[in-house]
Amino acid sequence: MSWLDDSDDLDGDFEDFDESSIRSRPNPKANRPRTKRRPAHEDAQIGRVLGVDRGRYSVMLDEGTETERMVTTTRARDLKRMQIVTGDQARVVGDVSGDDGTLGRIVGIVERSSLLRRSADDTDQVERVIVANADQMLIVVAAADPEPRARLVDRYLVAALDAGVRPLLVVTKTDLADPTAFLAHFDGLGLEVFTSAQDVMPIDRIGAALVGHSTVFVGHSGVGKSTLVNALVPSAGRATGHVNQVTGRGRHTSSSTVSLRYESALGTGWVIDTPGVRSFGLGHVDPANILAAFTELAAIAENCPRGCTHLADAPDCALIEAAERGELSETGLARLDSLQRLLQTFADKAENTPGR
Ligand code: GDP
Ligand code: ZN
């Protein structure tokens, strides 16, 4: 069973959650007598979940210290179907030595600072948590082959801004096409963009942006994301080219989401690679989170009518009125344009979703 099957049909639990908190809740069904009293897990160690494979979670304990080690763990039965994903800070008890053949046990996770979910499409009511605690999203697009699509990048941006995660953009394959016209779409966003110069990827500059952060890498298949991950983390060994030929079924280790450590003279950071994740679900997006990412426009929008969509046809929208009165700078106008496009991405999604 893959981690995806494992985490079926359950919403992420934002709460600090562990066995003891479950037991302290009155539960009429819990009348089965317990033969053994379990410890309260005050002695649990907290570590980073790097990956999940067939019900086994790899957790790094004592990260960055001399005793740093990987511990293979299972999940406590009491956690029921709560999802535990790459990037989670897990509480681990039992054998935490990390010695061969030993198994620790996850009894809870620490409250998440951010959460990215995926869904098959916007109408998919089943959203799955895929990455916890990321603070950056590095969006990889190719200048050509496959052709870059601004709408797809917009969707990533919406998911990032909604989750409070800082977006970065990398353009690969600039040897095949000039990305200038494509990049003009994002002028108003103040997005940090990395492109190759003389066909050489600025690996060191991208790496510098990763130090001290937990960065989830996203991109359509074929854009060169694995190539980039391997250049940044040489030990990663992510399969490039035609992934499915590796196993014939796509059940290779590189088909699951994992955390990889970026290391350089500047420091370390975490790269979270998400193969096979085409898009993030926009089912839970709150447009207010998108507006909030445009601080100066959000201030003007305080004067909008209640429930204003800020879209081009919104009546009495303070942003549109400010633009019409010439009160926005050129940059401000470009940013309003970007904001409206992202809000439109969300609105299109809502229209396509039955029951919303
Ligand atoms: P992924 O599916 O996004 O992980 O893409 P891969 O890293 O597997 O790359 C897909 C294909 O694009 C491979 O054949 C790579 O060799 C090729 N590729 C990656 N980066 C570049 C680039 O900068 N220029 C060109 N021309 N090809 C590239
Ligand atoms: Zn408005």
Side-chain angles (χ1 to χ4, degrees):
M1 203 161 82
S2 79
W3 64 271
L4 256 182
D5 305 321
D6 189 47
S7 58
D8 239 345
D9 76 32
L10 197 83
D11 247 273
D13 195 332
F14 296 86
E15 304 302 319
D16 211 319
F17 192 83
D18 63 24
E19 284 174 335
S20 49
S21 72
I22 290 181
R23 264 178 290 133
S24 64
R25 278 188 209 136
N27 177 358
K29 285 191 204 142
N31 50 13
R32 180 168 53 92
R34 286 185 180 275
T35 50
K36 248 193 269 175
R37 237 187 80 85
R38 299 212 187 154
H41 308 314
E42 273 146 19
D43 55 341
Q45 294 204 35
I46 294 175
R48 179 188 299 270
V49 177
L50 299 195
V52 185
D53 188 28
R54 277 158 281 192
R56 293 281 193 272
Y57 302 81
S58 335
V59 179
M60 179 176 274
L61 290 179
D62 294 343
E63 183 178 329
T65 73
E66 265 175 29
T67 53
E68 176 180 290
R69 63 201 180 278
M70 292 303 302
V71 180
T72 303
T73 63
T74 56
R75 51 191 291 135
R77 199 158 294 169
D78 295 21
L79 296 179
K80 304 273 173 4
R81 306 191 70 190
M82 185 193 64
Q83 296 176 87
I84 302 170
V85 297
T86 304
D88 264 325
Q89 293 285 334
R91 290 184 217 287
V92 185
V93 300
D95 194 328
V96 294
S97 66
D99 294 341
D100 270 359
T102 62
L103 212 50
R105 184 161 49 96
I106 297 180
V107 294
I109 57 168
V110 176
E111 191 177 351
R112 294 162 175 157
S113 60
S114 75
L115 199 56
L116 287 160
R117 309 170 170 93
R118 71 173 278 277
S119 60
D121 56 52
D122 293 334
T123 61
D124 188 355
Q125 298 301 315
V126 180
E127 301 244 5
R128 300 164 181 98
V129 177
I130 61 162
V131 179
N133 301 322
D135 63 344
Q136 298 191 132
M137 179 191 286
L138 186 143
I139 303 165
V140 186
V141 286
D145 186 30
E147 215 53 42
R149 288 192 295 132
R151 305 274 301 155
L152 181 69
V153 175
D154 284 347
R155 291 183 55 100
Y156 286 135
L157 290 170
V158 167
L161 297 181
D162 183 58
V165 168
R166 176 181 179 234
L168 310 167
L169 186 64
V170 168
V171 186
T172 60
K173 308 199 190 186
T174 50
D175 50 315
L176 302 180
D178 180 354
T180 309
F182 170 74
L183 286 173
H185 286 290
F186 310 104
D187 276 352
L189 289 171
L191 197 58
E192 187 157 3
V193 179
F194 302 90
T195 55
S196 11
Q198 274 99 47
D199 301 344
V200 178
M201 258 294 152
I203 293 298
D204 291 346
R205 279 207 304 125
I206 297 172
L210 303 179
V211 171
H213 295 282
S214 181
T215 309
V216 55
F217 281 42
V218 300
H220 197 275
S221 149
V223 295
K225 177 159 64 72
S226 305
T227 304
L228 178 64
V229 169
N230 288 339
L232 289 162
V233 187
S235 62
R238 303 304 269 174
T240 58
H242 304 281
V243 176
N244 283 345
Q245 283 176 8
V246 175
T247 60
R249 281 175 290 119
R251 266 290 159 87
H252 189 252
T253 45
S254 70
S255 67
S256 72
T257 299
V258 294
S259 299
L260 304 160
R261 184 152 49 189
Y262 170 78
E263 285 172 332
S264 76
L266 293 175
T268 65
W270 287 95
V271 168
I272 301 160
D273 193 13
T274 58
V277 177
R278 290 239 177 77
S279 70
F280 291 97
L282 302 184
H284 289 76
V285 168
D286 180 353
N289 292 340
I290 303 172
L291 177 61
F294 295 76
T295 324
E296 81 289 7
L297 296 181
I300 299 172
E302 303 253 317
N303 301 314
C304 286
R306 189 181 285 267
C308 182
T309 61
H310 319 300
L311 295 176
D313 60 355
D316 305 323
C317 174
L319 290 168
I320 295 169
E321 287 178 353
E324 282 168 359
R325 285 196 301 266
E327 288 165 14
L328 297 185
S329 66
E330 202 156 313
T331 313
L333 287 172
R335 283 172 63 75
L336 177 57
D337 224 45
S338 294
L339 170 65
Q340 287 181 326
R341 225 183 52 230
L342 297 188
L343 291 172
Q344 188 66 51
T345 301
F346 171 77
D348 291 348
K349 173 246 115 197
E351 258 168 43
N352 294 336
T353 307
R356 270 176 207 269

